[in-house]
Amino acid sequence: MDEQPRLMHSHAGVGMTGHPGLPQHMQEGAGGADGDGRKQDIGDILQQIMTITDQSLDEAQARKHALNCHRMKPALFNVLCEIKEKTVLSIRGAQEEEPPDAQLMRLDNMLLAEGVSGPEKGGGSAAAAAAAAASGGAGADNSAEHSDYRAKLSQIRQIYHTELEKYEQACNEFTTHVMNLLREQSRTRPISPKEIERMVSIIHRKFSSIQMQLKQSTCEAVMILRSRFLDARRKRRNFNKQATEILNEYFYSHLSNPYPSEEAKEELAKKCSITVSQVQGSHPHPPIVCSCSVSNWFGNKRIRYKKNIGKFQEEANMYAAKTAVNAANVSSHGSQANSPSTPNSAGSAGSFNMSNSGDLFMSVQSLNGDSYQGAQVGANVQSQVDTLRHVISQTGGYSDGLTANQMYSPQGINANGGWQDATTPSSVTSPTEGPGSVHSDTSN
DNA sequence: GTCGATGATTAGCA
DNA sequence: TGCTAATCATCGAC
């Protein structure tokens, strides 16, 4: 392998005036007595090179060896190298000078930031932290999501490193192979060490472009994972039946003013087990159990109820009855169960008690009321109203305020399309204030 | 795949 | 700041 440089150097500087490394007898031009003979030598060598492929392997090997040992070989090698250098390589060289790849740097930075490359971060990546912050802290369900995220990220990281290792190994192997091949080839072809170096750098570039693809794919995978995780909060999860029932109970029992206070919302959220995964992302203070979804729910409910009262009538009816029955039960047990506080009122939990009866009355009455817009009151409503009246009269003694002749506005919605007293919903006097509030509600 | 229901988001308003 | 209204996007039944 090292024979070539040695051969080259052994002839270098021997009588060279023009081409370095070219023996003097080759530089003396066509003139002179032995000029023709030298031309003949070169011609012979070239001829042998040209016909080398036509020969058998053994013959070619022998020729090759003869050529390698030929006294003119180093000089010829140098000349060819020089010519090659001046033509092909100079063109190549101009293209090879590239600035450091900005995209590769970006990818590297991103992988580092995501914790895929570089030292492994104990708690996952910055993305995980950001995701945690975005989803409102460390809820129980979130920790599971985080661990899931971390596990997947770690998987990506592992794949990335395995692949990277493979690429590096393949790159080294291929480089060594090519270098060996070129060195071997340089015995018979004009391949200078410089060109070998250049070839190595070309190989490295090719491999780094493959590496960049790997990095790009990894970044994409991380982005997908991250977006999936971060957008999880955006995904809609239906509340379970129980939660919906609790919210509906509250809504229909506060129909005149379905604007729960913050405390009531939080209480409802707790009761409904509405978790941070259902938190509206824009809210700055999401507690572990958050009322934001409750706000959403009430907002949606109010709108949808108002838009299509008739459609919700049956539901209203059902919850009114349910609430009345609950109230009856509470009363019969001689205790006042607590329910989530009505707007800005002393709150209570558990099934909704008689404090809500004012709304219930209104709801029930409105089922029967002439002014009820679009109410499709079924034939059973009247009997239900009677039953409820009976129940309510037993529980709270509010029957005084409840007469079938009373006119109620459509479920508390005024002529302007808004709820009565809904201009300042959260500060409105609650119907829970007592029997008086029933009148105040119903008077609307 | 369609469609209604429904939770979430957004702009605009008071 | 909280509400309404419109809209988006997803779920779940069919």
Side-chain angles (χ1 to χ4, degrees), chain A residues 132-301:
Chain A
S135 54
D141 61 336
N142 265 23
S143 65
E145 285 175 8
H146 290 172
S147 66
D148 194 33
Y149 178 87
R150 279 197 296 271
K152 287 199 163 60
L153 193 72
S154 156
Q155 235 176 325
I156 291 172
R157 185 188 158 90
Q158 199 178 342
I159 291 166
Y160 171 75
H161 283 289
T162 311
E163 290 298 309
L164 203 65
E165 217 169 289
K166 269 190 213 167
Y167 281 133
E168 274 167 8
Q169 200 182 340
C171 179
N172 287 339
E173 277 174 19
F174 189 69
T175 306
T176 311
H177 179 73
V178 168
M179 275 173 74
N180 289 341
L181 206 66
L182 287 175
R183 278 179 191 150
E184 180 63 29
Q185 289 274 302
S186 70
R187 291 175 179 222
T188 50
R189 290 174 54 210
I191 300 168
S192 66
K194 197 178 171 185
E195 199 181 346
I196 294 174
E197 249 175 59
R198 198 166 282 140
M199 191 57 74
V200 167
S201 77
I202 288 169
I203 292 165
H204 283 166
R205 263 202 303 281
K206 292 286 175 197
F207 269 90
S208 75
S209 80
I210 295 169
Q211 233 181 52
M212 193 161 88
Q213 281 176 18
L214 170 71
K215 285 176 180 176
Q216 212 158 4
S217 305
T218 309
C219 280
E220 277 169 20
V222 171
M223 283 294 102
I224 289 166
L225 178 69
R226 196 179 167 175
S227 69
R228 207 176 284 171
F229 182 78
L230 285 172
D231 290 351
R233 66 178 172 79
R234 209 188 144 84
K235 276 192 176 177
R236 192 172 68 76
R237 283 185 200 168
N238 283 351
F239 296 161
N240 61 34
K241 203 179 165 189
Q242 198 193 354
T244 312
E245 277 191 15
I246 290 166
L247 294 168
N248 271 318
E249 271 183 48
Y250 188 96
F251 181 82
Y252 287 112
S253 63
H254 293 80
L255 210 47
S256 68
N257 188 32
Y259 300 88
S261 63
E262 276 306 305
E263 296 78 36
K265 283 183 205 168
E266 281 181 30
E267 212 169 321
L268 283 166
K270 274 182 204 167
K271 282 187 77 176
C272 299
S273 303
I274 295 168
T275 60
V276 283
S277 60
Q278 291 164 320
V279 165
Q280 197 174 323
S282 59
H283 285 260
H285 55 84
I288 291 171
V289 175
C290 187
S291 61
C292 304
S293 285
V294 176
S295 298
N296 284 340
W297 189 92
F298 274 91
N300 285 324
K301 190 74 182 179

Side-chain angles (χ1 to χ4, degrees), chain A residues 289-342:
Chain A
V289 175
C290 187
S291 61
C292 304
S293 285
V294 176
S295 298
N296 284 340
W297 189 92
F298 274 91
N300 285 324
K301 190 74 182 179
R302 283 191 296 265
I303 294 289
R304 284 159 189 166
Y305 179 84
K306 206 163 87 173
K307 269 187 179 173
N308 196 350
I309 295 167
K311 194 182 109 185
F312 287 96
Q313 202 49 64
E314 202 178 325
E315 193 178 65
N317 205 6
M318 191 186 82
Y319 281 103
K322 200 172 175 181
T323 309
V325 170
N326 284 343
N329 288 341
V330 167
S331 176
S332 66
H333 285 94
S335 64
Q336 290 280 317
N338 291 330
S339 71
S341 56
T342 49

